[in-house]
Amino acid sequence: MTERWTANPQDSGYMAAVDLGSNSFHMVIARVVDGALQLLHREKQKVQLAEGLNEELILSEDAINRGLTVLAQFADTLKPVPAQSVRVIATYTLRRAKNSAMFLHRAQAIFPYPIEVISGQEEARFIYQGVAHFEHYDGRRLVMDIGGGSTEFAIGEGFHPLRLASRNMGCVSYANQFFANGKISGKRFERAIIQAEQELEPVVSAYKETGWQQAVGTSGTIKTIRDMIVGLGWHPVCITLPDLLRLQELLIAQQNSYQLDLPGLADDRKPLICSGLAILIAAFQLLGIEQMHYVDAALREGVLYEMSDRLHHHDIREHTIHSLIKRYSIDIAQAGRVRQTAMELFSQVRYAWQLNDDHADLLGWAATVYEIGLHINSSSVQRHSAYILRHANLPGFNQEQQLLLSALVRFHRRKIKADELPAFHLYQMPAVLNLLVLLRLAVLLNQKRQDDFLPPLLVSARSHQLTLELPKDWLLQQPLLLADLQQEQQLLKKITFHLDCPVLTECAALAGAFDLTDLDD
């Protein structure tokens, strides 16, 4: 669907989800009506990013240009939608490409919306949510989505996913590997199916153990296979393994996919149909799927529903943080103290440092989970905490949000190694450093782990500088904090940041000199 969408000037509440997939880019525009989503416009453009990803995981210039051309078209269509109500999700190819940062940088010039690269499990979660909101089902269901570069699986009940997985097998990548130039043979199918089964093998036991009552397929590849089976008169509504194997034999007999003339098979799907079929056969055989229904909802619908939930203050990320608190037995009282202090400081400097609600959320969550690694060892807790946050499955967080959370926690104390801070696309480095300073101060000021310990805090900020006002009489009674604040001044200087505490020098002179020897990390 590519016709131009025209907004109704009397309507409000538009929102849009854009899915930068490995085969196609999709855009959905909707609005909330009486608490329910009403889809207004869908658009799909074939890009085949995955086709431009070579063995070294470098995205070709041609593929980049195809993607940028479509993004420019989408930007024009999205103009009537408020920028804060547009969410753009990138999946497998931009997740894997080593030069994805270059694509994202070039996209900024023509596409004025942040592009979030998400993990495979997060992609599976969005797909599941799209299906769960689109079609009610009382039992447990398995959801499968074959994309251009990866295939996602989810099992869940209602709106709650129980298992999520993403496997590196897709209709574009497998077409290039096993069915190049449209060639079809039994041997090619056999090799593709075996490799798909090898890719699936690590998750099979867990999925069979969890079980399901209904299997659902989403997106273009599974829809095309369903339409072919129905069009051939083999089954009126769904996909079964015998029909998949029957379709495989039919395709093998044709020898070349470009010459296929079958009901339900569009020209742009011909080069991909064999690879998609091989992946689907492998899933049916290994997971023991008896039949699969098609549901016309997927990742972008899941993104829309989550955006709608956030408008009503139901943020899945808060649930994720609470799950981490329980799983890792985080000291809730201390986390609350540090978070409260961090947010108090943030509220006083947000305008001077041009910080926003997204920054506030991430700072609050970092303050909540900064000690998550304590259950491993109190020594180098910042390293343990950062490792957990970087590698855990964190539903609701895109890759950069998860990386930023990990980076803040990694350097919440002791030396800040600027060369170890990751590069970000969605976040400017000055903002990252400012958040880090606020977290460090919040932790430092709550080192005694006591309620009602701190006096009223007053801070002001400029570029690369923060001034902290503390009562002199109170600070003189805290010799350890006094020493730590002096130490913090020296550590922050190394990232060209100036921490000023007007009474600090006077208090230090009254209390005596302190050893400012750097702490090893």
Side-chain angles (χ1 to χ4, degrees):
M1 184 175 183
T2 58
E3 66 269 17
R4 178 64 185 270
W5 171 70
T6 304
N8 184 343
Q10 296 180 338
D11 281 343
S12 60
Y14 292 125
M15 61 176 61
V18 180
D19 166 15
L20 308 185
S22 296
N23 186 42
S24 301
F25 285 5
H26 297 260
M27 176 174 59
V28 179
I29 298 174
R31 63 178 178 176
V32 178
V33 179
D34 295 327
L37 275 179
Q38 182 184 77
L39 299 185
L40 303 174
H41 176 78
R42 292 175 183 261
E43 193 165 326
K44 170 188 172 184
Q45 295 283 358
K46 185 177 179 182
V47 177
Q48 287 194 302
L49 273 188
E51 192 176 66
L53 197 64
N54 65 21
E55 292 182 357
E56 286 74 40
L57 300 179
I58 301 297
L59 197 57
S60 71
E61 184 66 19
D62 285 346
I64 290 173
N65 287 332
R66 290 196 300 271
L68 295 177
T69 298
V70 173
L71 285 181
Q73 296 171 10
F74 281 5
D76 188 52
T77 305
L78 288 168
K79 284 180 180 178
V81 183
Q84 67 272 20
S85 297
V86 177
R87 193 167 183 195
V88 188
I89 301 298
T91 58
Y92 174 83
T93 300
L94 291 176
R95 185 163 65 233
R96 297 273 290 172
K98 293 180 179 178
N99 59 337
S100 61
M102 181 180 70
F103 176 90
L104 296 173
H105 178 72
R106 290 168 63 178
Q108 283 182 319
I110 58 171
F111 190 70
Y113 308 98
I115 298 172
E116 305 176 47
V117 181
I118 61 173
S119 68
Q121 285 195 316
E122 186 69 354
E123 184 177 356
R125 187 183 69 82
F126 276 128
I127 291 166
Y128 179 82
Q129 291 298 336
V131 171
H133 282 86
F134 185 83
E135 181 180 277
H136 174 75
Y137 182 71
D138 287 325
R140 189 171 292 181
R141 67 186 356 161
L142 166 72
V143 177
M144 178 180 179
D145 184 302
I146 301 174
S150 63
T151 296
E152 280 63 50
F153 296 87
I155 296 178
E157 294 180 12
F159 299 132
H160 306 292
L162 303 172
R163 292 199 178 275
L164 300 168
S166 178
R167 311 308 298 167
N168 292 335
M169 52 186 191
C171 59
V172 175
S173 55
Y174 269 40
N176 293 336
Q177 187 174 354
F178 299 107
F179 302 97
N181 302 315
K183 294 180 181 178
I184 309 174
S185 69
K187 278 289 186 184
R188 292 174 183 272
F189 259 108
E190 182 182 355
R191 289 198 293 269
I193 291 170
I194 289 174
Q195 181 153 326
E197 289 180 340
Q198 289 174 327
E199 185 67 34
L200 270 172
E201 196 169 13
V203 303
V204 168
S205 295
Y207 270 64
K208 283 186 172 180
E209 180 182 340
T210 303
W212 62 87
Q213 288 78 53
Q214 182 194 54
V216 168
T218 72
S219 295
T221 295
I222 293 177
K223 179 181 185 298
T224 298
I225 292 171
R226 190 282 310 265
D227 290 347
M228 293 171 69
I229 289 172
V230 172
L232 290 165
W234 295 348
H235 198 288
V237 289
C238 65
I239 301 168
T240 65
L241 181 58
D243 288 335
L244 291 178
L245 298 175
R246 191 176 176 185
L247 184 58
Q248 177 190 356
E249 293 302 318
L250 179 60
L251 295 179
I252 291 171
Q254 301 294 314
Q255 297 186 342
N256 193 291
S257 61
Y258 293 103
Q259 300 171 1
L260 295 174
D261 184 15
L262 295 168
L265 180 61
D267 288 343
D268 65 334
R269 282 284 166 185
K270 289 180 180 180
L272 309 177
I273 193 61
C274 292
S275 53
L277 180 60
I279 292 169
L280 196 56
I281 289 173
F284 266 69
Q285 291 182 160
L286 224 55
L287 291 170
I289 301 171
E290 295 180 359
Q291 65 177 23
M292 177 177 285
H293 297 269
Y294 173 74
V295 171
D296 190 24
L299 182 147
R300 48 209 165 271
E301 285 78 15
V303 172
L304 281 175
Y305 281 110
E306 184 156 301
M307 289 173 67
S308 177
D309 285 345
R310 286 190 186 181
L311 289 176
H312 295 90
H313 309 290
H314 303 303
D315 195 329
I316 183 65
R317 294 174 297 177
E318 281 288 357
H319 177 74
T320 296
I321 296 298
H322 286 301
S323 296
L324 291 175
I325 290 171
K326 292 178 64 176
R327 180 178 177 184
Y328 292 96
S329 301
I330 291 172
D331 183 340
I332 299 175
Q334 176 65 3
R337 293 183 199 104
V338 173
R339 183 169 185 162
Q340 181 178 349
T341 301
M343 302 321 295
E344 184 178 345
L345 298 175
F346 180 93
S347 67
Q348 297 182 53
V349 301
R350 67 175 296 165
Y351 296 110
W353 279 345
Q354 297 183 336
L355 302 174
N356 56 38
D357 289 345
D358 185 37
H359 296 128
D361 288 338
L362 288 162
L363 175 61
W365 291 323
T368 303
V369 299
Y370 78 100
E371 288 188 324
I372 194 173
L374 267 181
H375 81 289
I376 298 175
N377 199 316
S378 59
S379 177
S380 294
V381 61
Q382 69 276 17
R383 289 180 177 273
H384 303 316
S385 297
Y387 183 87
I388 292 171
L389 292 171
R390 184 161 186 169
H391 297 285
N393 175 34
L394 302 184
F397 289 86
N398 63 47
Q399 283 191 328
E400 284 215 2
Q401 290 169 343
Q402 185 165 352
L403 195 60
L404 179 54
L405 200 61
S406 173
L408 292 175
V409 168
R410 167 65 181 86
F411 297 108
H412 80 262
R413 65 174 194 158
R414 300 193 174 180
K415 291 181 180 179
I416 301 172
K417 299 180 180 179
D419 58 336
E420 291 185 13
L421 284 169
F424 294 98
H425 167 69
L426 296 177
Y427 302 99
Q428 299 297 317
M429 190 53 67
V432 172
L433 293 176
N434 289 340
L435 293 178
L436 183 55
V437 169
L438 294 177
L439 177 62
R440 289 172 66 92
L441 276 179
V443 172
L444 188 153
L445 290 168
N446 286 281
Q447 60 182 329
K448 284 199 171 182
R449 310 177 83 91
Q450 295 176 2
D451 293 330
D452 303 320
F453 167 69
L454 293 175
L457 298 174
L458 180 63
V459 292
S460 58
R462 292 188 295 173
S463 178
H464 303 287
Q465 180 175 336
L466 184 139
T467 300
L468 172 65
E469 305 277 357
L470 291 173
K472 183 175 72 173
D473 292 343
W474 178 85
L475 187 56
L476 279 171
Q477 298 174 33
Q478 316 301 330
L480 181 58
L481 176 60
L482 181 55
D484 285 342
L485 283 170
Q486 288 183 284
Q487 178 73 48
E488 186 67 6
Q489 285 181 322
Q490 301 305 313
L491 293 173
L492 292 181
K493 278 183 180 179
K494 296 182 178 180
I495 60 167
T496 65
F497 189 96
H498 179 64
L499 172 63
D500 183 30
C501 184
V503 300
L504 190 58
T505 301
E506 182 182 357
C507 289
L510 292 171
F514 292 98
D515 181 8
L516 298 182
T517 305
D518 275 350
L519 296 173
D520 290 330
D521 192 11

